[in-house]
Each structure stands twice: as structure tokens, then as C-alpha cells.
Amino acid sequence: MSGPFAAKRILLGVSGSIAAYKAVDLASKLTQAGAEVDVLMTYSATRFVTPLTFRSVTHRAVLTDLFDPDSREAIEHVAVATAADVLVVAPATAHMLAKLALGLADDPVSVTALAADVPLIVAPAMDANMWEHPAVQRNVETLESRGAMVVGPGRGRLASGLFGWGRLAETPELLGRIAQALGRNGDLAGRTIVVTSGGTAEPIDPVRVVTNRSSGKMGHALAEAARDRGAHAVLITTAALDDPPGIETVHVETAAEMLDAVLAAAGSADALVMAAAVADYRPADVHPEKIKKENADTLSVEMVRTTDILSSVGRAIVRVGFAAESTDVLGHARAKLASKDLDLIVANDITLPDAGFGADTNKVTLLDAGGAEDLPLMSKYDVAERVLDRVVPLIAARRGALR
Ligand code: CTP
């Protein structure tokens, strides 16, 4: 199995909040993604969800009592905990945050947080009034100042019936932030990678646009994979997909807006990966009012060229292009590699099944001045990993040359 969680050892600390049931989904998703998940529960957490529930999804023993002389897990737990990659406390109650901030240790979660020298992620969940209390806020600041990652809470309906801040972060947000924490010392740590995604939409009038079928999934996967290798990832996107957690996301619509956003971000970046399908042409004039059909059988819209974004970015950073083609894929891709003076181009044949627009998989060929590498069909995240495998040494060479 590949991906950010494969063979990772994750400690999941669960404290006593109604949101504890959501931690079951998190434990399940992490396990399905290849992680070894050891769940630690406070006594009050076991009042909301049984240890058996977690044991059933993780297929591993759950630690609930550190003082049980018959429990092998209790005896070995500090050694096990120290070998973990991360401790995630989700949900973290106000009481648990206070214990963690003060260094109190009287339950499996808080003892582990003190005894095991592993990165800490806390996902608070409580009533809005509790979350806003200065005592809780101070404890959160204390934890952050010690390097803990605080995820959420989100805003919405709370168990008390109140509406406000206090909901446990949703599973996709937690997964994204855990992946980010796991990859913090990856081979892109300290680097900034700008990725574009989606198809631009060029307005004809206030209600109509010229656009294309790009879903944005490939670009999102690239930004996520960069994040999971330690990069500061900037995603400039037109896509209607959820913003990926832990990634600076900028929303744009037109090629001109994308150009401005890329130029603003590129100055401090190490690489630009243009996965977006940028319109080559836009309507010359945007009608200020909706165009009425009247009685005409035809309608002509004059189109003019957009500015090429890749070619507008200086050669000081690594530039990677995409070529989505339906004929002579490699020939066209090679021509673009040369004409745009790119470091690398990712070519894909959009006529192949399970590749290209909208799919979760892709089949691409990586082309650079040295030749072509044909990759098999794989997930877009895995394609992103292979692209970044090429970007890492390119950045190192660029930085070395500038030194
Ligand atoms: N690109 C860009 N700025 C544009 C248009 C495209 O930076 N105004 C980027 C794309 O994001 C992609 C690469 O250039 O990385 C693709 O090149 P392009 O020549 O636009 O390819 P297509 O439009 O797919 O092909 P064609 O030339 O056949 O129209």
C-alpha cells in the first residue's frame, strides 16, 4: 500500500465527548489507509463508545486502564508509544486540553502525551461557551507554543443545541492534517510548491462562460502530496472541490486571475506545477448584459489569446507543465517541453479509460530533456508522488546552481 499513512504508527487518544463516535470513523479510515492505529481511551470516553468498537476497526488492543496488572498493553505501552509517529487526541475535551497543557498524567491519553516523545495533534470538541472561555484558550495557546498542531474545532450545531465553534474537525480535515504532520520532515520540508488546478472559465456575458472538463483532481493530489512531504503548498484553483487541509488555497476563475495569482506566489516559490487546464483563448469582449438570442441562427464570439502562464514565470524556479492530448501525445508533449522551456512535462492521453478528466486514476508519461518515462495506471496521488520525485532533485540542482 502507498500513500501518506502506509506503515505509519498512529496513537489515537480519545477523551470523553459525544464526538468520540466520530473518532471511530477516523480510526477506521487510518487503518484502511495502511496505518497501525493504537487507541488509548479515558474512562469517560469509554462511557460514550466501547473499546470493542475501536478494537473492531483497528484490529488492535485498546488501552483503557494503565493500572491493570493483567494487561500486556498497559505494561508495554510507553515503549510502544515512543515508537509511534504521532499522537492524535481526537476528540480533546476542555478537561483533556487542561491536563495536556499542565502536564497532568492520570489516564492513558495524558500519561502517553507526557511519556512518549512524539508530535502531538489535538482536535478539540466541546460546547461553544467552553471553547471560548479564556481558560481553554490559554491552554490551547500553551499547547501550540510547545509545537502541538491544533485542528479545528469547526463551527456548526453542537450537542447542547447551541450553534457555534466547538464541533470536532471532520474526518477529511483530520486525515489531511495528520498526513501533513507525518510528512513534516519530508524531502520537500522548507520548500514552497505552487500548484494550479481545474479549468479556467472565461466569461462571455454575466451568465455564460467558455470552460473545459478539467475536474481539478490531479492538481489537488499534487498539492496534497507536496504537503505530505513537508512543503508549504499553495494551490491556485478554479475547482469546486473542498479546499484541501493544510494547504494555502487561492480561488480564481479566469486565466488572467490565475496568471496574477501565480505571479504573486511564484516569487517565493521553489517550483510551479501547472496542472490547470488554462484557456488558450478568451472572448475578446465580455458583454455587460446577458446576450439575447433575438432571431439570429448563429452567434459569433471573437476569441483572443490568453497570456501563457508557464512562460511568464522566471526560470529561477522549477517549472512543470501538463499536456493533455488526444493524438500524438508524446510528439505534442515534447514540442511543449521545448517551446515553453520546461524542466518536466507530464503527458496524458485523455482518450484512455480511467485516465484524465474526472477520474481518480491517471496514466501518464513523464518527459524531460533526458527522455520519456512511461508510468502505469495509478491513483492521481501516486502520479503526484512520481512527479514530485522528479521535482525534488530539480529544486536541489537549481538551488545549488544559484548558490
Ligand atoms: N498553460 C499555461 N498558460 C496558458 C495555457 C496553458 O501556463 N495560457 C499551461 C498548462 O497549465 C499546461 C501547459 O501549459 O501545463 C499546456 O500547454 P498548452 O500549450 O496550453 O496545452 P493545450 O492547451 O492542452 O494544447 P494545445 O497547444 O494543443 O492547445
Side-chain angles (χ1 to χ4, degrees):
M1 197 179 290
S2 58
F5 302 112
K8 290 290 191 277
R9 303 178 69 164
I10 296 172
L11 299 169
L12 176 60
V14 184
S15 57
S17 148
I18 174 61
Y21 80 91
K22 296 185 181 173
V24 177
D25 183 43
L26 178 64
S28 172
K29 296 267 167 32
L30 288 168
T31 306
Q32 287 170 44
E36 209 167 74
V37 182
D38 284 308
V39 176
L40 322 159
M41 299 177 78
T42 63
Y43 171 70
S44 39
T46 65
R47 304 289 299 275
F48 286 98
V49 182
T50 71
L52 181 62
T53 311
F54 282 107
R55 190 184 183 123
S56 304
V57 299
T58 63
H59 314 295
R60 296 177 66 79
V62 172
L63 187 62
T64 56
D65 181 0
L66 279 176
F67 308 108
D68 176 358
D70 298 328
S71 162
R72 199 168 57 86
E73 286 72 36
I75 295 161
E76 293 176 357
H77 114 276
V78 172
V80 170
T82 305
D85 295 298
V86 68
L87 166 61
V88 183
V89 183
T93 59
H95 188 60
M96 178 55 72
L97 291 173
K99 286 206 261 187
L100 295 173
L102 272 178
L104 300 182
D106 66 348
D107 68 80
V109 182
S110 56
V111 169
T112 305
L114 274 193
D117 183 21
V118 290
L120 175 66
I121 299 178
V122 291
M126 65 198 72
D127 201 47
N129 291 338
M130 294 169 80
W131 173 249
E132 280 154 23
H133 195 285
V136 173
Q137 288 300 312
R138 174 61 67 88
N139 289 333
V140 169
E141 281 166 25
T142 301
L143 290 169
E144 280 183 317
S145 71
R146 290 208 299 260
M149 178 189 273
V150 179
V151 184
R155 191 172 153 79
R157 178 154 295 283
L158 304 167
S160 62
L162 283 178
F163 189 90
W165 296 100
R167 283 172 67 89
L168 180 69
E170 299 298 331
T171 302
E173 163 105 20
L174 287 166
L175 290 171
R177 300 300 301 276
I178 296 169
Q180 180 179 29
L182 290 170
R184 69 202 176 287
N185 297 323
D187 54 8
L188 284 173
R191 305 295 194 197
T192 296
I193 309 293
V194 179
V195 180
T196 62
S197 77
T200 64
E202 310 299 329
I204 300 174
D205 69 15
V207 292
R208 301 178 179 98
V209 293
V210 180
T211 187
N212 60 69
R213 294 183 193 280
S214 172
S215 67
K217 287 181 179 176
M218 189 62 239
H220 276 58
L222 276 156
E224 287 168 350
R227 172 198 67 195
D228 299 347
R229 292 166 83 141
H232 169 217
V234 181
L235 177 65
I236 298 167
T237 184
T238 65
L241 304 171
D242 288 341
D243 286 2
I247 290 170
E248 184 185 332
T249 304
V250 181
H251 290 273
V252 296
E253 208 173 290
T254 64
E257 288 168 7
M258 187 171 278
L259 172 69
D260 288 346
V262 167
L263 291 179
S268 53
D270 296 282
L272 166 67
V273 186
M274 284 289 301
V278 185
D280 293 319
Y281 295 90
R282 63 172 172 82
D285 299 303
V286 182
H287 284 250
E289 309 297 342
K290 186 181 166 201
I291 300 173
K292 303 299 287 177
K293 62 181 146 323
E294 287 157 4
N295 279 326
D297 285 335
T298 60
L299 170 71
S300 298
V301 177
E302 194 193 352
M303 306 284 279
V304 293
R305 283 294 291 266
T306 58
T307 306
D308 194 276
I309 300 174
L310 268 173
S311 305
S312 307
V313 170
R315 308 301 186 259
I317 71 171
V318 172
R319 292 172 312 119
V320 179
F322 270 68
E325 308 286 351
S326 55
T327 55
D328 187 16
V329 178
L330 293 190
H332 284 127
R334 203 165 274 126
K336 277 174 203 171
L337 178 73
S339 68
K340 301 194 186 203
D341 189 20
L342 303 176
D343 294 281
L344 181 72
I345 194 155
V346 185
N348 71 323
D349 181 343
I350 53 172
T351 64
L352 291 177
D354 301 324
F357 298 142
D360 290 320
T361 50
N362 209 352
K363 176 156 184 6
V364 305
T365 302
L366 305 182
L367 277 149
D368 64 10
E373 183 190 2
D374 197 22
L375 300 179
L377 186 73
M378 54 176 82
S379 72
K380 285 187 170 172
Y381 187 91
D382 286 345
V383 171
E385 287 269 61
R386 302 295 285 267
V387 172
L388 295 176
D389 285 346
R390 298 293 201 93
V391 168
V392 168
L394 285 166
I395 293 175
R398 216 31 111 1
R399 292 287 164 258
L402 289 180
R403 215 173 281 138

